[in-house]
Structures are given as structure tokens and as C-alpha cells.
């Protein structure tokens, strides 16, 4: 970080701060360092000017580097360093289904789906087939918050600091409220109150097609096949699963708008959950075949692959496209650096480290 490797004398000196973002994989021996760093060096004497340095470290070794001066970029390796990196690890669970609390790999889930994470790093999981809401502490210890939600689908944290949960199962007989609030802390921890109650009248989406122009306020504005959601300062982002698969937004005044149709990227169905990033980007997952990775909608309106391989599934940890997922149905962002992914068919909760 002091650029000592670039010169044997004092002809180079640091020009400003060095920005770096490293993670250490301590599951291998010796521990392996991965990450990016950027900085500037300024030659002394008659050369003058500055040189911008951008480099990638992989497995503890420099893997790529570019030098830029006067608008000209020079690559010192065959590949240029990427603008960002991701690294995936397993926080809790294994590839075996079940219903057990405990630390890390001792815990069992049965199709974990929606997730959210609070400011302290506690992750909440909608454990779909266990009809339970699970709680994971930052060290990976799993416990149960409540078992009284039928087929929970997604989770969020309200401005009042309660947990908000959607239920995939809606019945005209009652008892399956679509949206509920759960107390997270204190003496009433686990207490459930409905936000939207079942009124005995079921809506069907098969009578009207297509839903290309459902923007507006209710009842004109509508979101068919709403699945995952993300609450952010009064605005709610919604993953619309089909007709067509889209990223929708509910503004604080109740207006519903479409941000992006996604059918051209991953087929005609399947967008399950999403999370808003700190710079306005939107991360989302789709469990359909041909869309196994983690996708990101940039502020430029372009959808890119963040991690995994869209056409290949598995459960491998690794950097960027080296990682593999299988049927991910939930995703959340901690607001700083980590994405948490419900890797549903692998029965694992994964963590994606964002290096930007």
C-alpha cells in the first residue's frame, strides 16, 4: 500500500490516499487475500505528472493492473482489473433440509426464501416450508422468531423497526393475512398483527391480460404476482413475478410505477426478490433455468450479472462468475457492503461481499 514495490529509490511518492477493499478467505491455508486497490503515484524530477494505479489482488497475488496518465491507459497484465468484485461464503445451513436451530452448518432450513437484515447485522429469513421466521446473528447462530406465518415469502423492516412479512398462501377462509407485522425486540418479541387482512374475496389474475400498463394509484394501479419487496424510506420496491416479470415501485403517496421489465433477461417468469443498493442500483434474483446468478439493474438502466453464471447452477463459493447458485429466491442488502442470498434449492444462506 506504500507503493514500495514500484521503485527502489525515492523517485516515486504517494499522491493522495490509497483506496483499497480486501477480504481474507481463512478457509484455506495459507489464508488467501482477494480485492481491489486504487491510488496515485507522482514521479519526482523532470518527469512530473501523476500516474493512477488500479489493481486486483487474487489469492494473495497481483492478478491485474492498469496505469493511467494523461488520459492514456497501460495494462501490465493480459486482463484489466474489474470495476468491482464479489465473493460468496455460506453463513448458515447445509444442503440438507430440516428444521434445527444452532450455529452455522448445524442449522437446517427448508426452502429459505425472503430475507432482510437490520443495522446490527441480524438476518431474518422466511423459512417457507417450515412456516417459520428464522433469525441469524452476525456470527451465524440461528434461532426461531415465530412459527405462526403460513408459507412466508418475503421480509422487510418498517420505519417503526418492526418486521414486515408477506405470506404466499392467501385463503378466503381467513387466517392467512397477506401482509403482517412482527415485533422484533422486547417483551412482545414475535407478536404478530396484520397489515392487510384476508377479507374473504380472492382476486384472480387470469381474467385480464396483459398487465403492461398497470401504473397509477389503486384501483387502477395494480401489481399482479407481487412477491419479494424492499422497504426504503417510505418507498417500496416490488418484484413482480410474471405478466410480465418486472421491477415495480410503490411511492410514498401510493403511486405504483414500473421501473424495468425483465422478461428479456431471464424468460417470461421468475423474478422473485430484490434489494436496493446504496448507489441506486437494484439487485435481484430469478430462480428460473437459465437465470441462476445474481443480477443487478444499474442506474444506467442496464442489467448485468453480479455473481454466478446464469446458465450453470451449483453451490461453489468464489469470486464473481466463479460462484454458483441454484434457485435463489431471496436477497437483501445490509446498506454498506454485504448482500445476503437465500440459495433456496441449495438450502443455504449465502453472503456476497461487494468490493466497489
Amino acid at each position: 500500500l506504500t507503493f514500495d514495490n514500484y521503485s527502489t529509490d525515492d523517485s516515486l511518492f504517494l499522491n493522495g490516499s490509497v483506496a483499497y477493499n480486501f477480504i481474507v478467505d481463512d478457509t484455506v491455508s495459507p489464508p488467501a487475500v482477494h480485492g481491489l486497490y486504487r491510488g496515485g503515484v507522482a514521479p519526482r524530477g523532470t518527469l512530473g505528472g501523476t500516474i493512477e494505479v488500479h489493481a486486483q489482488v487474487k489469492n494473495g497475488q497481483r492478478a491485474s493492473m492498469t496505469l493511467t496518465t494523461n488520459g492514456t491507459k497501460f495494462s501490465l497484465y493480459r486482463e484489466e482489473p474489474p470495476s468491482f468484485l464479489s465473493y460468496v461464503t455460506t453463513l448458515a445451513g447445509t444442503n440438507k433440509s430440516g428444521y434445527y436451530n444452532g450455529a452455522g452448518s448445524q442449522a437446517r432450513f427448508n426452502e429459505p426464501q425472503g430475507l432482510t437484515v437490520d443495522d446490527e447485522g441480524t438476518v431474518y429469513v422466511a423459512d417457507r416450508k417450515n412456516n417459520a421466521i428464522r433469525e441469524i446473528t452476525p456470527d451465524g447462530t440461528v434461532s426461531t422468531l415465530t412459527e405462526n406465518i403460513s408459507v412466508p415469502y418475503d421480509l422487510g423492516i418498517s420505519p417503526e423497526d418492526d418486521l414486515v412479512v408477506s405470506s404466499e398462501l392467501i385463503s378466503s377462509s381467513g387466517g392467512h393475512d397477506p401482509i403482517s407485522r412482527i415485533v422484533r425486540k422486547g417483551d412482545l418479541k414475535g407478536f404478530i398483527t396484520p397489515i392487510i387482512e384476508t377479507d374473504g374475496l380472492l382476486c384472480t389474475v387470469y381474467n385480464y391480460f396483459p398487465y403492461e400498463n398497470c401504473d397509477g394509484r389503486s384501483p387502477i394501479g395494480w401489481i399482479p404476482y407481487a412477491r419479494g419487496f424492499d422497504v426504503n424510506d417510505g418507498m417500496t420496491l416490488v418484484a413482480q413475478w410474471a405478466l410480465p416479470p418486472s421491477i415495480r415501485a410503490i411511492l410514498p403517496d401510493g403511486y405504483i410505477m414500473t421501473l424495468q421489465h425483465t422478461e428479456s433477461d431471464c424468460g417470461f417468469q421468475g423474478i422473485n426478490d430484490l434489494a436496493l443498493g446504496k448507489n441506486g442500483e437494484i439487485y435481484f434474483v430469478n430462480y428460473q433455468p437459465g437465470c441462476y446468478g445474481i443480477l443487478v439493474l444499474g442506474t444506467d438502466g442496464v442489467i448485468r450479472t453480479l455473481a454466478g453464471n446464469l446458465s450453470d447452477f451449483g453451490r461453489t463459493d468464489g469470486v464473481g462468475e466463479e460462484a454458483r447458485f441454484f434457485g435463489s429466491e431471496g436477497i437483501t442488502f445490509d446498506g454498506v457492503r454485504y448482500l445476503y442470498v437465500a440459495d433456496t434449492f441449495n438450502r443455504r444462506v449465502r453472503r456476497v461481499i461487494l468490493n466497489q
Side-chain angles (χ1 to χ4, degrees), residues 1-20 22 37-42 53 62:
L1 295 180
T2 60
F3 291 95
D4 289 340
N5 293 333
Y6 302 104
S7 176
T8 57
D9 54 31
D10 62 354
S11 63
L12 297 177
F13 65 96
L14 283 173
N15 178 32
S17 62
V18 177
Y20 61 93
F22 292 149
Y37 62 94
R38 296 178 176 88
V41 293
V53 179
R62 229 176 6 252

Side-chain angles (χ1 to χ4, degrees), residues 114-137:
L115 304 95
T116 191
V117 58
D118 66 12
D119 293 338
E120 298 175 352
T122 300
V123 180
Y124 296 90
V125 182
D127 196 357
R128 183 173 177 269
K129 287 196 172 180
N130 283 325
N131 296 319
I133 305 302
R134 314 291 292 281
E135 183 180 87
I136 309 177
T137 59

Side-chain angles (χ1 to χ4, degrees), residues 85-140:
L85 287 176
S86 58
Y87 194 82
V88 181
T89 62
T90 297
L91 179 64
T94 70
N95 61 338
K96 295 181 179 179
S97 62
Y99 186 22
Y100 300 103
N101 292 323
S105 60
Q106 296 176 357
R108 296 290 186 273
F109 302 89
N110 196 350
E111 292 195 11
Q113 202 140 328
L115 304 95
T116 191
V117 58
D118 66 12
D119 293 338
E120 298 175 352
T122 300
V123 180
Y124 296 90
V125 182
D127 196 357
R128 183 173 177 269
K129 287 196 172 180
N130 283 325
N131 296 319
I133 305 302
R134 314 291 292 281
E135 183 180 87
I136 309 177
T137 59
D139 65 359

Side-chain angles (χ1 to χ4, degrees), residues 67-102:
L67 305 177
T68 303
T69 182
N70 294 329
T72 302
K73 182 185 294 185
F74 302 91
S75 296
L76 276 65
Y77 294 77
R78 292 182 178 180
E79 298 180 357
E80 293 188 6
S83 58
F84 63 86
L85 287 176
S86 58
Y87 194 82
V88 181
T89 62
T90 297
L91 179 64
T94 70
N95 61 338
K96 295 181 179 179
S97 62
Y99 186 22
Y100 300 103
N101 292 323

Side-chain angles (χ1 to χ4, degrees), residues 116-331:
T116 191
V117 58
D118 66 12
D119 293 338
E120 298 175 352
T122 300
V123 180
Y124 296 90
V125 182
D127 196 357
R128 183 173 177 269
K129 287 196 172 180
N130 283 325
N131 296 319
I133 305 302
R134 314 291 292 281
E135 183 180 87
I136 309 177
T137 59
D139 65 359
T141 301
V142 180
S143 60
T144 299
L145 179 63
T146 182
E147 299 175 333
N148 297 317
I149 299 292
S150 298
V151 196
Y153 196 90
D154 197 17
L155 300 169
I157 296 177
S158 71
E160 296 77 23
D161 206 33
D162 291 326
L163 198 64
V164 179
V165 57
S166 61
S167 172
E168 187 178 10
L169 180 62
I170 301 176
S171 170
S172 59
S173 61
H176 305 292
D177 299 312
I179 304 291
S180 301
R181 179 182 290 111
I182 305 174
V183 178
R184 298 194 301 125
K185 301 177 181 179
D187 295 337
L188 295 178
K189 182 176 179 178
F191 185 77
I192 304 172
T193 55
I195 296 176
I196 301 177
E197 298 185 61
T198 302
D199 58 8
L201 297 176
L202 290 179
C203 297
T204 177
V205 299
Y206 298 111
N207 294 330
Y208 304 96
F209 182 83
Y211 299 101
E212 295 282 353
N213 299 304
C214 285
D215 292 354
R217 291 181 176 82
S218 180
I220 297 175
W222 193 41
I223 302 179
Y225 285 118
R227 289 201 166 182
F229 63 89
D230 190 7
V231 181
N232 292 276
D233 297 327
M235 182 184 74
T236 302
L237 296 174
V238 181
Q240 180 173 307
W241 182 69
L243 300 178
S246 306
I247 296 175
R248 310 289 298 280
I250 305 174
L251 303 183
D253 63 357
Y255 189 89
I256 302 171
M257 63 182 296
T258 300
L259 298 183
Q260 183 89 8
H261 294 316
T262 62
E263 68 272 23
S264 61
D265 295 273
C266 291
F268 292 96
Q269 293 180 339
I271 176 172
N272 269 37
D273 199 11
L274 44 71
L276 180 66
K278 64 180 179 181
N279 298 314
E281 72 278 15
I282 300 173
Y283 304 97
F284 64 97
V285 290
N286 181 318
Y287 72 88
Q288 295 294 318
C291 199
Y292 295 113
I294 309 303
L295 296 166
V296 55
L297 171 64
T299 55
D300 58 359
V302 177
I303 295 177
R304 302 177 176 87
T305 302
L306 173 73
N309 186 302
L310 297 186
S311 60
D312 187 22
F313 61 87
R315 55 176 180 266
T316 305
D317 293 343
V319 177
E321 293 186 359
E322 295 176 1
R324 292 292 183 270
F325 301 86
F326 188 21
S328 302
E329 296 193 36
I331 189 169

